[in-house]
Amino acid sequence: MTNIYDFTVIGAGISACTFASLLNKRFPDLSILLVEHGRRIGGRATTRKSRKNKILEYDHGLPSINFRERISEDILELISPLINSGKLLDISKDILFINEFGILSNAFTNNIIYRSSPFMANFCEEIINQSNNPKKINFLFQTLTKSIKRVNSLWEIKVNNGRHIKSKNLILSSSLIAHPRCLNLLKINSLPLRDAFIPGKDKVVDSLIKETRKLTYMIRKVYIFHVSNLSLSKNFNYQYLQIIFANVIREDSNFERIIFQRQSDGSIIIALHCSFINNLSEMKIDNITKSLISLFANYKIFLDLFLQASLIDKMDWRASQPLNHLLSKELQWSDSSKIGFCGDWFDMNSCVGVESAMISSLRLVNLVNRN
C-alpha cells in the first residue's frame, strides 16, 4: 500500500465501488483506498459468512435492485454485462406481497427487480472488476473511521486500529460521519465532519452539514433464522423468495419484508427485515414466530419452515436509507478542500436507492474530472 493515496473513500458499498471503478477507468494510475467498517465489500448490499457455521453464507441487507426503464448510458454500461452474463438476475416473479388477511399475491407486475448472483455482495465485486487497473484499488475492512482532518493540503484519516491514513482527496459515500446519528452509533461527542472544518471556511461543507441534519433515517433490524431440516427444505421450490408486508402489518409489527435464501447444503436462511421510524426496539423471538405463523396460516409450507426455524443472528443496521430532505447535487464536491460526497442521500432527479447511489457516484467522478 502507498503512504499517501490519491483518493480515500469512506465506505465500500455500491456508491463507493461505483465511484472507485469509474474513477479508475478515467485515471487508471491513481491510487484509491476504500475504508470499510464491515468484513467485506458491499455496504448495505453485503453478504455475511456465518462465524458459527462456515457453510452458511447469506444476504442480510439490501435484498434486491431496481432501475428505471430509462437510465443513463454510463450506468447501463456497468450493469449490462452483469445482466447478459447472468450475474444480475431478474427475480420479479419471486417477489410476493402479503396483506393483513394473510393473502399472497405478486408484488410487481411491470417493474423488473434484480438481485446479484450468487450473492448481493457480488454486485459490488463485479463493478470493481470492470475497472481498468484493479490493482490500484485497495481495501481496508473492519476499519472504523474515528476522525478526519485536513493538514498541509492532505487529508488525515484516523481509524480504530490507531493507524493514520493520508490522502490527497477524501470521499464520503455515506452520511454517517456528517449526521448527528453518528454520535450515538460511534459513541463520540462531536460530529467528525464538523470537527474537520472551522465554520465559514468551506461554504459547500457548511451547507452540506446544515442540510444533512434534516435527513430522517429509517432504523432497521434484521433477524436471521436457519432451517436445517433438509427434508422440509426440499419441498420449498424457491431459490430467492421475498415477501413484502402490507403497510398495516408494518405499522402493527414493524415487519418490512422477509427473505428466503437457499444455502449450498440445501438448508434455508430466513431473514426478517424490521423497520423503525424513531426508536429501535427489541422484539421477543417467540412473539415474532407467533406473528409469522398467524400471518401465514393459509400456507403450510411457510408454517412448517417457521416452526423449524432457529435464530442464529441479528443485526442493527447503521446504513439505512434516508426518508426525506435529500441533498442538492450541488453539494457533492468542494474543490477548495478536495472532499466529495456520494450515495443515496442526494437528490438525483427523482430516482431512488441503488440507481440514485450509482448516478451520484458517476456525477462525482465527472466533477473530479472537471476540477
Side-chain angles (χ1 to χ4, degrees):
M1 287 188 179
T2 184
N3 291 324
I4 300 176
Y5 292 92
D6 292 306
F7 281 83
T8 294
V9 184
I10 307 301
I14 291 175
S15 62
C17 291
T18 301
F19 174 82
S21 181
L22 291 175
L23 185 69
N24 183 272
K25 285 184 177 182
R26 302 271 183 96
F27 308 101
D29 293 326
L30 291 182
S31 58
I32 305 171
L33 174 67
L34 282 74
V35 180
E36 169 60 39
H37 184 227
R39 285 188 273 161
R40 63 191 300 187
I41 199 171
R44 194 166 67 241
T46 193
T47 303
R48 168 164 289 197
K49 292 183 179 180
S50 173
R51 288 190 175 100
K52 297 178 181 179
N53 188 339
K54 302 301 182 182
I55 294 178
L56 303 182
E57 190 170 7
Y58 48 87
D59 301 320
H60 59 292
L62 182 73
S64 55
I65 300 171
N66 65 291
F67 299 95
R68 296 175 299 176
E69 288 187 16
R70 302 179 68 177
I71 61 177
S72 71
E73 290 296 324
D74 298 276
I75 301 300
L76 191 61
E77 185 178 339
L78 283 173
I79 66 171
S80 289
L82 277 69
I83 296 173
N84 296 335
S85 65
K87 294 178 180 178
L88 199 58
L89 302 176
D90 180 355
I91 61 165
S92 306
K93 294 180 180 179
D94 289 340
I95 302 183
L96 306 178
F97 174 85
I98 187 166
N99 64 21
E100 62 270 31
F101 306 108
I103 299 174
L104 287 169
S105 60
N106 290 329
F108 299 99
T109 55
N110 297 320
N111 298 344
I112 297 178
I113 310 299
Y114 297 97
R115 67 156 285 120
S116 183
S117 175
F119 300 103
M120 288 298 291
N122 296 118
F123 183 75
C124 286
E125 292 173 355
E126 292 298 327
I127 294 298
I128 290 293
N129 289 341
Q130 291 184 41
S131 58
N132 287 345
N133 189 5
K135 292 182 179 180
K136 299 295 286 187
I137 303 177
N138 302 282
F139 295 88
L140 273 180
F141 294 111
Q142 293 184 279
T143 304
L144 180 64
T145 299
K146 305 291 286 187
S147 67
I148 58 174
K149 60 180 179 178
R150 189 160 173 81
V151 180
N152 298 327
S153 299
L154 287 177
W155 280 100
E156 291 188 4
I157 302 101
K158 182 180 179 181
V159 296
N160 58 318
N161 55 15
R163 179 178 176 179
H164 286 76
I165 301 163
K166 293 186 178 182
S167 183
K168 297 176 183 177
N169 301 273
L170 178 64
I171 305 297
L172 303 187
S173 68
S174 164
S175 66
L176 183 60
I177 64 173
H179 191 278
R181 68 194 174 103
C182 78
L183 302 181
N184 290 329
L185 290 170
L186 304 182
K187 295 179 173 56
I188 54 179
N189 297 319
S190 56
L191 204 63
L193 184 61
R194 179 72 283 171
D195 291 343
F197 289 90
I198 299 172
K201 185 176 181 180
D202 189 310
K203 292 183 178 179
V204 171
V205 174
D206 285 345
S207 296
L208 180 130
I209 291 174
K210 179 181 178 181
E211 293 302 312
T212 301
R213 290 180 180 274
K214 300 176 183 178
L215 287 172
T216 301
Y217 280 82
M218 181 175 290
I219 308 169
R220 286 186 170 88
K221 181 185 284 286
V222 183
Y223 295 87
I224 309 295
F225 297 88
H226 182 223
V227 180
S228 58
N229 187 322
L230 298 184
S231 61
L232 178 61
S233 63
K234 285 180 181 178
N235 297 323
F236 194 74
N237 297 320
Y238 295 94
Q239 182 72 17
Y240 306 110
L241 174 68
Q242 299 182 31
I243 299 177
I244 300 172
F245 294 99
N247 288 335
V248 173
I249 301 173
R250 184 179 301 190
E251 292 170 2
D252 181 55
S253 62
N254 297 115
F255 296 170
E256 185 178 32
R257 69 176 68 201
I258 191 165
I259 316 297
F260 300 82
Q261 188 171 6
R262 190 174 295 279
Q263 299 297 294
S264 60
D265 64 351
S267 63
I268 296 175
I269 285 288
I270 303 174
L272 175 65
H273 293 238
C274 301
S275 57
F276 307 83
I277 300 298
N278 295 314
N279 298 316
L280 185 64
S281 62
E282 190 67 51
M283 296 189 290
K284 294 182 178 180
I285 304 306
D286 288 346
N287 292 340
I288 290 177
T289 303
K290 288 178 182 178
S291 296
L292 291 174
I293 289 174
S294 175
L295 286 169
F296 289 88
N298 298 325
Y299 303 93
K300 186 178 185 302
I301 182 61
F302 294 113
L303 293 180
D304 291 340
L305 290 177
F306 296 142
L307 288 171
Q308 291 287 323
S310 58
L311 183 74
I312 62 169
D313 202 354
K314 55 184 175 181
M315 284 200 60
D316 296 335
W317 273 97
R318 300 185 311 149
S320 294
Q321 283 182 281
L323 296 174
N324 53 16
H325 299 295
L326 297 181
L327 274 61
S328 166
K329 55 190 177 184
E330 306 307 319
L331 300 178
Q332 275 201 271
W333 175 253
S334 169
D335 192 51
S336 61
S337 300
K338 304 301 177 184
I339 186 170
F341 311 91
C342 59
D344 60 4
W345 45 307
F346 285 90
D347 185 1
M348 292 293 153
N349 300 323
S350 300
C351 62
V352 296
V354 170
E355 185 178 357
S356 172
M358 296 181 73
I359 291 176
S360 75
S361 300
L362 168 64
R363 187 175 186 278
L364 182 57
V365 170
N366 290 335
L367 290 172
V368 169
N369 185 32
R370 186 187 310 165
N371 290 284

